[in-house]
Amino acid sequence: MHIEPGVVVGAKLALGFVTATGAVGYAAKLARDVAKSEGLGPVILRTLIATALVLCFFEVLPHYPVGVSEVHFILGSTLFLMFGAAPAAFGLATGLLLQGMLFAPADLPQYGMNVTSLLVPLFVVNSIARRVIPANTAYKDVGYKQALALSTSFQAGVVAWVAFWAFYGSGFGAENLAQVATFGAAYLSVIVIEPLLDLSVLAVAKTLDRLETSGLFHRRMYHAAI
């Protein structure tokens, strides 16, 4: 999902920082709401853990350039189920920033676009989760169909944003269209695999129920909403 250098250049880069500012602002609102009910400490703790995981996802898990971007196992829906929308959002944004600063400085001019491409789909997942996961179901008990809905929504959102940035920066020429299509097709493998990873992580979480009061995980991980 990293927009390759050169796809969007010059003054057009500013739009990415505008949209990223809006996305981070919305994440801050979500974090404030959680902090009111659970305290600021758990929000910070979950954010730090999510940040470390995101950095590992980007650097350790398989990733490869395809078309206008790169295919990564970002595990956005996994982070959401474990930590909640706000810590997952800040973890993605901070992990991405650290990855650029430490390992890929060439990606920093595209940082605003890349943050937008991750956070907006995550907020969509947050909305969809309220529809597909019954209020009386803890996240540790979700099934494959529900995990697939969340993962597909996140990955489709990432692909849609990458396509937007590619067309915004480089137009609708045949070569650009082909590269966007190639990138989208490559992400099908992620959509298939990520729900299985979600369920694997949740299966491990079930064995760690002694941590349900530790603040490490989103409250909904172990408790129904009602």
Side-chain angles (χ1 to χ4, degrees):
M1 43 58 59
H2 287 77
I3 300 296
E4 292 295 295
V7 174
V8 180
V9 297
K12 287 187 174 182
L13 288 168
L15 178 61
F17 289 97
V18 171
T19 56
T21 299
V24 171
Y26 184 69
K29 176 184 179 300
L30 295 177
R32 182 190 63 190
D33 294 341
V34 177
K36 284 181 179 179
S37 61
E38 298 185 47
L40 185 59
V43 176
I44 294 175
L45 178 60
R46 293 168 197 160
T47 297
L48 291 174
I49 298 173
T51 298
L53 289 174
V54 168
L55 190 58
C56 290
F57 295 162
F58 282 137
E59 289 302 312
V60 177
L61 295 183
H63 56 278
Y64 46 94
V66 177
V68 295
S69 186
E70 294 180 356
V71 172
H72 283 270
F73 287 95
I74 308 167
L75 307 185
S77 56
T78 307
L79 293 171
F80 166 78
L81 291 169
M82 292 173 63
F83 305 115
F90 281 114
L92 286 167
T94 308
L96 183 64
L97 179 61
L98 290 174
Q99 192 257 354
M101 294 173 63
L102 298 175
F103 303 104
D107 287 335
L108 290 177
Q110 290 76 236
Y111 177 73
M113 294 181 290
N114 292 333
V115 165
T116 303
S117 299
L118 292 176
L119 265 58
V120 176
L122 182 73
F123 299 147
V124 172
V125 167
N126 186 34
S127 177
I128 290 177
R130 291 194 291 268
R131 302 179 184 180
V132 302
I133 302 177
N136 61 355
T137 300
Y139 285 165
K140 67 181 179 63
D141 296 320
V142 302
Y144 180 82
K145 183 178 180 180
Q146 294 160 325
L148 179 63
L150 299 183
S151 178
T152 301
S153 300
F154 181 76
Q155 304 301 341
V158 170
V159 171
W161 272 102
V162 168
F164 169 77
W165 295 121
F167 295 140
Y168 167 70
S170 300
F172 293 88
E175 181 178 355
N176 198 37
L177 285 169
Q179 290 189 341
V180 171
T182 301
F183 169 77
Y187 246 98
L188 291 176
S189 61
V190 178
I191 291 174
V192 172
I193 295 172
E194 185 164 301
L196 297 175
L197 294 175
D198 286 344
L199 295 180
S200 298
V201 169
L202 295 176
V204 173
K206 289 182 180 181
T207 70
L208 301 175
D209 54 358
R210 63 185 180 278
L211 297 176
E212 65 178 285
T213 60
S214 67
L216 289 174
F217 300 111
H218 182 34
R219 185 182 181 280
R220 186 75 189 275
M221 170 72 84
Y222 293 104
H223 300 279
I226 57 174

